Amino acid sequence: MLRVAVLLSTLVALAYGCPNIISRSGWGARKVNCLTAMKTPVPYVVIHHTAGAACNSKAKCVAEVKAVQNLHINNNKWCDIGYSFLVGEDGNVYEGRGWNKVGAHAPSMSSRSIGISVMGNFMNRNPSQAALKAVQELIKCGVSKGFIRKNYIVKGHRNVFATSCPGNSFYSLIQKWPRFNAKKVYTPITADTAENNIEFLKDMQMPTLAPEDAQELEAELTRKLDTKFARKLDLYPEGMVFDLNNPSRSLLAGCPNIVTRSQWGARSPTCSTGMSTPVPFVIIHNTEGAFCSTRASCSSQVRGIQRFHMDDRKWCDIGYSFLVGEDGNVYEGRGWSTVGAHAPSMNNRSIGISVIGNFSRRTPSLAAQGAVKSLIDCGVSRGLIRSNYVLKGHRNVNPTTCPGNSFYNLIRTWPQFQA
């Protein structure tokens, strides 16, 4: 029966001229029961990139889609993967929320758009021809099936939200596509349209949201939706700090899971110097040692790093402010308010965040990337990092290859980076 169902699905896809779509069950999606139906056909198609690892085989792409879903559910606290569909450089399409469920990919536009994200980081290159063909075929498929309007408009994520997505190179390419329109759209949120935006706004329990993105979202809410009405509907994201007298200072206060020193088994420091906060700099490192993907293995790695720093380098404690594992956890080092030993001449005015592992040839997992961004936003929301902070790699402040070539190329695309 399963083989017959797959065959019928393939025949239907071919009849509509659709690309090969790997269903949720086909890639092993986690089961969810929280999605909201979307009225179709929709007027918009929004193009994204995941900004994470690329994939060029079905096996690798399946692993990457699972990682994206885990990031969106575990770190972003969404109820499911945010995109409608994801596309791999293997030429396959991977079903996310699908054609008729509201996504969580474009603020205030999720309820009237299909969000298509190509897996990889396309700041400096374009997706493969196979991926580009799959995206174009998927759009045509949606039109032919009646899920996307015939007079649809294509936009990049940056046209509907404050972001660099879908990457500079890819964005330059989609500007040449039929039906592309660069005009920025921030859909008014009113009492009449609020019901359609509940799914997005509740999904926006998003600790990785950049401060300027949170400000844009809240400014829209403040302009277009009566505050009392919004609070009555519980539309504001959980953890949002809202100042009616100064909406521009409103931020999401959600923080990642921070494993304390006592929890990972830290030794007591032999000295401690207080640091004046908020600090103006965030410096990104890699430890250059072994990777870790579980709390047990990451805790072991952090203890080993502390031993190395204290016993071999004769420092009074582990050098970093925080360490991040590819399990998505943050491990407390010297913390927010103690001067670290991670960047000469910058230690007393920066938070040093080191991802555990060597990232010369690959980027950290999406879970680790999300935890780093969440930690920075957490520091800003708590007044420990300046809102106009400057992000740097270790190599920008000291002669070193840290945080690894691949990771460094990634953080160069992050908000507030300065080389």
Side-chain angles (χ1 to χ4, degrees):
M1 289 298 292
L2 180 60
R3 292 178 64 183
V4 172
V6 171
L7 178 60
L8 287 174
S9 176
T10 302
L11 290 174
V12 170
L14 290 172
Y16 281 106
C18 299
N20 186 45
I21 300 176
I22 309 297
S23 67
R24 291 175 65 91
S25 61
W27 60 262
R30 291 164 61 175
K31 295 185 184 301
V32 299
N33 186 27
C34 55
L35 301 181
T36 301
M38 180 167 64
K39 184 179 179 180
T40 58
V42 297
Y44 292 99
V45 174
V46 181
I47 304 297
H48 304 254
H49 71 166
T50 61
C55 62
N56 56 15
S57 70
K58 184 176 177 179
K60 290 180 179 178
C61 290
V62 164
E64 190 61 23
V65 177
K66 288 180 179 179
V68 174
Q69 186 185 42
N70 287 337
L71 174 70
H72 287 184
I73 294 177
N74 298 340
N75 290 64
N76 292 7
K77 305 304 181 186
W78 298 349
C79 71
D80 192 17
I81 195 167
Y83 307 115
S84 306
F85 297 93
L86 299 92
V87 175
E89 292 191 284
D90 61 340
N92 285 316
V93 175
Y94 296 82
E95 183 186 19
R97 298 202 184 187
W99 294 115
N100 54 10
K101 299 295 183 183
V102 175
H105 60 90
S108 77
M109 292 282 287
S110 294
S111 64
R112 54 192 193 128
S113 66
I114 294 295
I116 304 172
S117 188
V118 182
M119 287 180 275
N121 188 317
F122 301 106
M123 289 296 291
N124 300 314
R125 72 173 182 93
N126 287 325
S128 69
Q129 287 300 314
L132 294 172
K133 181 182 178 182
V135 173
Q136 297 280 15
E137 288 181 348
L138 184 65
I139 296 172
K140 292 178 183 178
C141 175
V143 173
S144 67
K145 286 186 172 184
F147 294 118
I148 300 174
R149 289 185 188 174
K150 293 180 180 179
N151 62 341
Y152 69 89
I153 292 173
V154 172
K155 290 187 177 293
H157 189 192
R158 65 178 63 184
N159 300 131
V160 298
F161 204 50
T163 175
S164 62
C165 181
N168 292 340
S169 183
F170 191 16
Y171 180 70
S172 295
L173 177 62
I174 68 170
Q175 287 180 294
K176 302 172 185 176
W177 287 6
R179 317 204 66 81
F180 174 82
N181 187 317
K183 182 180 178 182
K184 289 189 175 182
V185 176
Y186 298 101
T187 306
I189 301 173
T190 66
D192 293 331
T193 64
E195 184 176 354
N196 291 330
N197 287 284
I198 288 175
E199 170 67 18
F200 162 72
L201 290 165
K202 287 189 175 180
D203 260 345
M204 282 293 299
Q205 296 172 8
M206 185 177 182
T208 58
L209 195 68
E212 62 270 25
D213 294 350
Q215 291 167 9
E216 178 63 41
L217 171 64
E218 187 142 315
E220 183 70 4
L221 284 166
T222 304
R223 288 194 303 269
K224 301 298 183 181
L225 186 59
D226 177 77
T227 303
K228 290 182 180 178
F229 180 80
R231 289 197 183 282
K232 184 177 179 180
L233 287 182
D234 192 26
L235 292 184
Y236 285 129
E238 182 180 318
M240 180 173 277
V241 181
F242 187 72
D243 181 352
L244 288 174
N245 298 317
N246 193 353
S248 67
R249 290 182 58 84
S250 301
L251 300 171
L252 287 184
C255 297
N257 184 49
I258 299 177
V259 180
T260 65
R261 291 175 63 93
S262 61
Q263 288 173 328
W264 61 259
R267 291 161 55 178
S268 297
T270 59
C271 68
S272 177
T273 302
M275 181 166 62
S276 178
T277 56
V279 296
F281 294 99
V282 175
I283 300 176
I284 304 297
H285 304 255
N286 69 349
T287 63
E288 297 186 351
F291 306 99
C292 64
S293 57
T294 66
R295 179 164 167 175
S297 62
C298 289
S299 294
S300 177
Q301 279 296 312
V302 177
R303 289 193 297 270
I305 293 167
Q306 187 187 41
R307 283 195 301 271
F308 174 66
H309 286 184
M310 295 181 73
D311 298 342
D312 292 67
R313 293 193 171 176
K314 306 303 180 184
W315 296 349
C316 65
D317 194 7
I318 195 168
Y320 308 114
S321 307
F322 296 94
L323 301 93
V324 174
E326 292 192 284
D327 61 340
N329 285 316
V330 175
Y331 296 81
E332 182 186 18
R334 298 203 186 186
W336 295 114
S337 54
T338 300
V339 175
H342 59 90
S345 79
M346 296 282 286
N347 289 322
N348 64 350
R349 53 194 182 126
S350 65
I351 293 296
I353 304 172
S354 189
V355 182
I356 303 168
N358 187 318
F359 301 104
S360 293
R361 297 183 179 180
R362 72 172 181 91
T363 55
S365 69
L366 290 174
Q369 293 177 38
V372 172
K373 293 177 181 178
S374 176
L375 183 66
I376 295 171
D377 292 343
C378 175
V380 173
S381 69
R382 290 183 175 184
L384 301 164
I385 299 173
R386 291 183 189 173
S387 59
N388 63 340
Y389 69 90
V390 173
L391 181 73
K392 290 184 177 291
H394 189 192
R395 65 178 63 183
N396 300 131
V397 298
N398 202 33
T400 175
T401 59
C402 181
N405 291 339
S406 186
F407 192 16
Y408 180 71
N409 287 334
L410 174 63
I411 68 169
R412 290 170 62 187
T413 69
W414 288 5
Q416 298 178 225
F417 174 84
Q418 190 181 107

